[in-house]
Amino acid sequence: MAANSSPSNGAKGMTVIVKTISSWVKMLIFLFGIYIIITGHLTPGGGFAGGVIIAGSYVLLMLAFGREFVEENLPLRWASRFDCIGALLFALVAVLGLILGGSFFVNWLFRQQILPSKALELVSAGTIPLSNIFIGIKVGASLFLIILVLSMFRPAHLRGEKE
Amino acid sequence: MELFIFYALMAFVLIAAFIAVETRNLLSAVICVGAIGFGGSLIFLFLKAPDIAMTQIVVEVLGLVILIRATISRDLTFISGDREFFGMVVSVVILFAIFMAGIGIFRQLPDFGTAVYTRTPEAASQTYVSRGLEETGASNIVTSVILDFRAYDTLGEATVLFASIIGATAILRKKAKKLPEDLDE
Amino acid sequence: MAYAWCFLLFMTGLYCAVVKKNMVKIVLGIIIMEYAVNIFLIMLGYRIGGVAPIVGKGELAGIDKVTSAFVNNCVDPLPQALVLTSIVISLGSLALMIALCIRTYERYGTFDITEIRRLRG
């Protein structure tokens, strides 16, 4: 968006070097975000940091290739849908605690020993990894949405409606 | 040695803050705020908070993108000077008074390096540390606090984030709603 | 000493938000204040020679218990949890403030708040 709005750069996006490097790196950043999310209950990280990293991978694509490229892959309405879906699923986990465990936000999967739960293993800690995943989806989608909305706004002197 | 690096980082952050406040170029000020953020994340690492350090770094990158979006390709990035002289003098005097009063308060706090929660035996953090793994199964105590013991905080955080997105989207609509006096022109 | 440093950083941000007349500078002052408060909250829970609140293999005693050495050395996890949500919220509020600034710039053509006050009468 910074490159788009500068008048000297007519083509969409940045130079070939930036495009090549970012197309190599984008999946690595995305995978790192997913890793941070799903091991959030064992190592530093969690839903917040991982969600922001996933949003950062899309922002990298947006800076390198231009906004239209990203909007073909993840349109605005799908980003807002992911946002709502993440928030609703996180609330659903809490309501399931109310139904199955006796109170809101109780860790019902861990209390009732449904899954084998041993410390320091990936499948442990009951609902905490589930909540981490949903929080990650919600935070990533919403931060991507904010930057997309900020870059879609064109001020009047760039739209050509100068008074 | 470790303490020396810590104090050097603190001095770096403070110098970056002074430059960010006093420089005239807006882009330089934004970059100095980025320097404060990265120095702050290193300080978090020294204070044994790796979760916060990781989150601070990635949030700082996105925040810099947003801030540079606001400042680049704007014509008027060189607004120098402060507000009118009398108001500035009054506000500086008031700030100095607040600072002197605050310094007195900081003497009553416990020394740096003694965690405050160890002074009260019934503190909630004692339970979180000693029984966190047992009651939630998560080995990252911070995650167990966020998503199990105090999950209402996370619910409120999601709500606030949602509200801020709705606000930003409503402010940046394509067609601005006309004010009543604009229709007269 | 370290607490006073946090307070000095906070006062720097407050000075920037009160005295400057550029809108983006005011936003930057608010961001500096947020940093100062976050670092102060983390400092309250720090203890010298402490360990991060993450249980490793060496700190396990039995199946689900932590060793007493971990309990006696761990830094406070509660301020870290609070600051973690605060950082993400600060990014959202930053986006909201920047949206306001951009909209105001398009409406009035300047970031100068004294000019805006003069224009509106």
Side-chain angles (χ1 to χ4, degrees), chain A residues 2 6-7 10 15 17 25 27 36-37 40 46 56-57 74 81 85 88 98 109 111 117 124 132 135 138 148 160:
Chain A
S6 71
T15 59
I17 300 172
V25 164
M27 283 321 285
I36 288 288
I37 287 177
S57 73
L74 183 63
R81 273 176 205 168
I85 284 170
L88 281 180
L98 180 62
L109 267 178
R111 292 282 168 83
S117 177
S124 66
N132 256 334
I135 286 290
K138 193 231 170 319
L148 195 60

Side-chain angles (χ1 to χ4, degrees), chain A residues 63-151:
Chain A
L63 290 178
F65 288 91
R67 178 169 50 83
E68 289 80 9
F69 179 79
V70 177
E71 272 190 286
E72 287 173 5
N73 286 327
L74 183 63
L76 189 63
R77 62 174 190 277
W78 272 104
S80 60
R81 273 176 205 168
F82 273 126
D83 191 358
C84 301
I85 284 170
L88 281 180
L89 285 178
F90 179 61
L92 180 69
V93 170
V95 172
L96 278 181
L98 180 62
I99 295 171
L100 299 174
S103 95
F104 203 54
F105 271 123
V106 77
N107 197 341
W108 48 278
L109 267 178
F110 184 76
R111 292 282 168 83
Q112 299 176 0
Q113 302 285 336
I114 294 172
L115 292 174
S117 177
K118 192 165 169 291
L120 299 184
E121 284 194 359
L122 187 60
V123 181
S124 66
T127 59
I128 289 180
L130 284 178
S131 305
N132 256 334
I133 291 171
F134 300 145
I135 286 290
I137 291 174
K138 193 231 170 319
V139 170
S142 57
L143 291 182
F144 171 69
L145 201 60
I146 281 184
I147 294 187
L148 195 60
V149 166
L150 273 176
S151 76

